[in-house]
Amino acid sequence: MKICVLGLGYIGLPTALLFAAHGADVVGVDVNQSVVDCLNRGSLPFEEPGLGDLYSEAKSRFSVSTEPEAADAFLIAVPTPLDPATKVSNLTYVKSAAGMIAPHLHRGNLVILESTVPPGTSERVVIPRLEKSGVAVGDFLYAHCPERAIPGRTLSEMTGNSRIIGGYDRESTDQATAIYQTFVRGQIYRTDTKTAEFVKLMENTCRDVNIALANEFAQLAEECEVNVWEAITLANKHPRVTVLNPGPGVGGHCIAIDPWFLTENSTRCRMVSTAREINDSMPNYVLRIARGLLAGIRDPTISILGVAYKGNVADTRESPAFKFIQLAENEGYAVRCHDPYATKFTHPLMDLPEATAGSDCVVVLTDHDCFRRLDPATLQVRTKFVIDARNILDHGKWADQGFGVRVLGDGTPVQQTVPGEIAASARLYPADAARPIASPPPSSISLLSPNGREGFL
Ligand SMILES: NC(=O)C1=CN([C@@H]2O[C@H](COP(=O)(O)OP(=O)(O)OC[C@H]3O[C@@H](n4cnc5c(N)ncnc54)[C@H](O)[C@@H]3O)[C@@H](O)[C@H]2O)C=CC1
Ligand SMILES: CC(=O)N[C@@H]1[C@@H](OP(=O)(O)OP(=O)(O)OC[C@H]2O[C@@H](n3ccc(=O)[nH]c3=O)[C@H](O)[C@@H]2O)O[C@H](C(=O)O)[C@@H](O)[C@@H]1O
């Protein structure tokens, strides 16, 4: 079996290598020459746990090129970004990939679309371009097989997750099932192409809406002067309730984008777009907290810890850090950034001492594990304020070092802050307290550790 994989990014490359490691001859195609050069040098264009070892294992059956060639099966894993102005999918890359396959397509070949697309895209956009080959669908096989792997655990999820295979016809579903079964150990579910497109979008939209609910709870809790983290921990004791974690916003190439694909042709949707609005407004909310703390400080500097869209990954796509920084700079704050994972960003990435030197407020935006263990005694800041927008720091330790600690959703009323009341506005945690609430916590629950729950890597 020879498989040609178009798009060697976060999804296409691991998928191509898994096929190769399980016996297929794979040609990986990417229009970006630097990706091809990098792989030809034996390096990886990005990091993902286990990918280096898989590459070594698969190398003998894997070659790379900027052009597709004849094969038994073609797999498309190219980007499907969102046009930020119109909130409509940009299908340019998918169209171009289908156009590149057409000259090599023969009767009996299988084409699989893995890229996430709006419902109906296969039928309206992809298949017609493939048919320019002169072969009609039915004579070539076609399936949409959406990817569900989560960055940071891509390989274990690609092999262990269940999969949806949406074939154009029974033969297409059978053939696609057969090739995924070479490495997928999870259950394979069969459906039609448009349902598969819809299911993928529903999954990510469901997560987005649930995160929006957690973010709204954080804001409501603050209005009620309740600590949302304690409230969530307790609510999640209910056997049918799972509230996710509030945070500074939703980033990444998928959850912040896919809900718009579901609604782009709809005139009825309310909840999905409202959830997007709530999540997109979280950087403003965190900045409002910072504004409260920094009122009265001359020429304030904010130190951002974490620009990646989530913990323990380097990916900054759609990261809430972009919006937070832009808003902060518009406000006149100087911004210095530190992220031990990210390598590419719009702002210079500094080491921790440099990013925090002379700072007036440290803001944790990403839940990297290494931040949990940070020792505040080592930081040479000017003003001791920290905002923990992920609830990951050891707050007692920071308070011991004299920091005013403000946790997103901790119940401190944001609007109470007025210039001249700076220290009072940050809840100064008593050195021996793990949380800013008056009554002592029941000894049986860990109130500031809900991040070990489902929902966070
Ligand atoms: N990254 C993720 O965690 C997940 C992504 N997806 C979906 O998978 C698709 C791919 O996403 P990523 O791998 O993250 O994208 P990516 O941006 O990491 O990689 C895509 C690659 O495709 C290449 N490319 C663009 N046009 C091409 C063409 N015509 N022929 C060959 N190569 C081409 C680009 O140069 C790039 O290297 C998207 O639709 C995304 O929504 C789905 C599930 C998870
Ligand atoms: C339904 C679902 O879990 N989808 C996964 C998701 O991967 P992704 O890394 O984007 O998801 P994520 O871990 O929820 O992170 C998205 C964003 O949401 C934030 N986030 C996440 C969980 C939470 O409780 N609170 C929160 O604020 C994260 O910090 C991040 O900014 O989207 C992937 C995709 O489609 O690309 C998909 O394959 C993955 O399985």
Side-chain angles (χ1 to χ4, degrees):
M1 164 73 71
K2 180 174 172 186
I3 306 175
C4 193
V5 176
L6 284 85
L8 298 176
Y10 291 93
I11 294 305
L13 180 59
T15 305
L17 295 175
L18 282 168
F19 280 128
H22 289 82
D25 291 315
V26 179
V27 181
V29 177
D30 203 293
V31 289
N32 185 342
Q33 183 71 50
S34 67
V35 170
V36 171
D37 291 345
C38 175
L39 286 162
N40 274 332
R41 280 196 310 272
S43 314
L44 293 171
F46 56 89
E47 286 185 20
E48 180 64 30
L51 197 60
D53 291 343
L54 178 65
Y55 188 29
S56 309
E57 198 187 326
K59 233 176 200 164
S60 60
R61 289 186 175 273
F62 178 66
S63 62
V64 276
S65 169
T66 52
E67 292 288 337
E69 53 189 71
D72 303 303
F74 297 87
L75 187 144
I76 302 174
V78 298
T80 43
L82 181 78
D83 181 327
T86 57
K87 304 287 186 215
V88 170
S89 55
N90 170 355
L91 298 176
T92 315
Y93 302 99
V94 169
K95 289 177 186 168
S96 139
M100 285 163 69
I101 292 170
H104 306 279
L105 193 62
H106 297 289
R107 251 182 113 82
N109 286 170
L110 168 67
V111 181
I112 293 173
L113 176 68
E114 275 213 7
S115 298
T116 308
V117 290
T121 300
S122 290
E123 196 182 316
R124 286 197 311 266
V125 177
V126 185
I127 290 174
R129 279 172 174 76
L130 294 169
E131 286 182 324
K132 291 197 172 146
S133 59
V135 189
V137 68
D139 291 334
F140 71 86
L141 309 175
Y142 182 88
H144 176 52
C145 306
E147 182 53 68
R148 292 158 146 179
I150 198 157
R153 289 203 298 255
T154 298
L155 293 180
S156 61
E157 291 217 348
M158 273 184 177
T159 49
N161 286 357
S162 64
R163 286 205 81 117
I164 309 282
I165 310 264
Y168 169 79
D169 53 18
R170 180 178 297 193
E171 174 69 2
S172 299
T173 307
D174 287 346
Q175 290 289 322
T177 301
I179 76 162
Y180 279 105
Q181 272 174 338
T182 58
F183 71 83
V184 172
R185 293 190 310 271
Q187 187 74 37
I188 290 185
Y189 297 101
R190 301 160 65 98
T191 185
D192 62 86
T193 304
K194 201 190 275 188
T195 305
E197 293 168 339
F198 196 84
V199 168
K200 169 67 194 176
L201 299 175
M202 267 174 66
E203 292 166 0
N204 280 354
T205 301
C206 178
R207 190 147 170 91
D208 196 45
V209 170
N210 280 292
I211 297 169
L213 187 60
N215 284 330
E216 188 139 302
F217 283 151
Q219 297 176 51
L220 290 169
E222 296 213 326
E223 282 176 15
C224 298
E225 300 188 29
V226 160
N227 182 339
V228 79
W229 301 97
E230 177 186 7
I232 291 173
T233 304
L234 295 174
N236 285 349
K237 301 294 175 202
H238 187 290
R240 284 174 296 283
V241 171
T242 308
V243 181
L244 296 182
N245 294 302
V250 167
H253 184 47
C254 299
I255 299 222
I257 288 176
D258 295 354
W260 294 119
F261 288 11
L262 197 55
T263 59
E264 69 179 30
N265 284 310
S266 170
T267 51
R268 290 164 209 266
C269 283
R270 299 286 174 272
M271 190 187 289
V272 175
S273 48
T274 302
R276 284 278 66 251
E277 264 172 43
I278 293 169
N279 289 335
D280 278 352
S281 72
M282 289 311 290
N284 311 54
Y285 191 76
V286 178
L287 185 71
R288 214 168 122 213
I289 297 174
R291 193 185 294 131
L293 298 180
L294 293 168
I297 295 179
R298 236 179 121 188
D299 302 327
T301 297
I302 292 181
S303 304
I304 309 274
L305 299 196
V307 298
Y309 83 95
K310 69 172 185 179
N312 308 330
V313 302
D315 195 342
T316 59
R317 289 181 294 178
E318 317 297 324
S319 172
F322 288 109
K323 185 170 179 186
F324 180 84
I325 291 170
Q326 202 172 346
L327 288 169
E329 289 186 335
N330 286 353
E331 191 104 356
Y333 303 144
V335 171
R336 300 161 80 84
C337 303
H338 167 67
D339 192 305
Y341 287 82
T343 49
K344 281 178 258 166
F345 196 59
T346 43
H347 284 59
L349 293 171
M350 305 171 183
D351 62 20
L352 184 64
E354 193 186 354
T356 51
S359 168
D360 298 295
C361 186
V362 173
V363 181
V364 178
L365 290 183
T366 307
D367 47 334
H368 292 314
D369 282 339
C370 53
F371 292 160
R372 297 173 199 272
R373 300 181 292 274
L374 257 183
D375 183 1
T378 61
L379 308 183
Q380 301 292 315
V381 301
R382 180 171 71 166
T383 316
K384 290 190 167 179
F385 281 132
V386 60
I387 299 173
D388 184 358
R390 296 284 188 174
N391 188 21
I392 56 165
L393 301 179
D394 180 341
H395 302 125
K397 198 150 109 185
W398 286 73
D400 281 350
Q401 289 299 320
F403 276 81
V405 182
R406 181 69 163 81
V407 185
L408 173 69
D410 70 4
T412 308
V414 177
Q415 281 173 328
Q416 279 185 2
T417 310
V418 291
E421 290 180 359
I422 303 160
S425 72
R427 192 71 65 103
L428 289 172
Y429 285 39
D432 61 344
R435 65 197 177 109
I437 56 174
S439 54
S443 56
S444 56
I445 57 170
S446 165
L447 292 170
L448 279 179
S449 58
N451 294 343
R453 290 193 338 262
E454 284 282 291
F456 260 77
L457 276 181

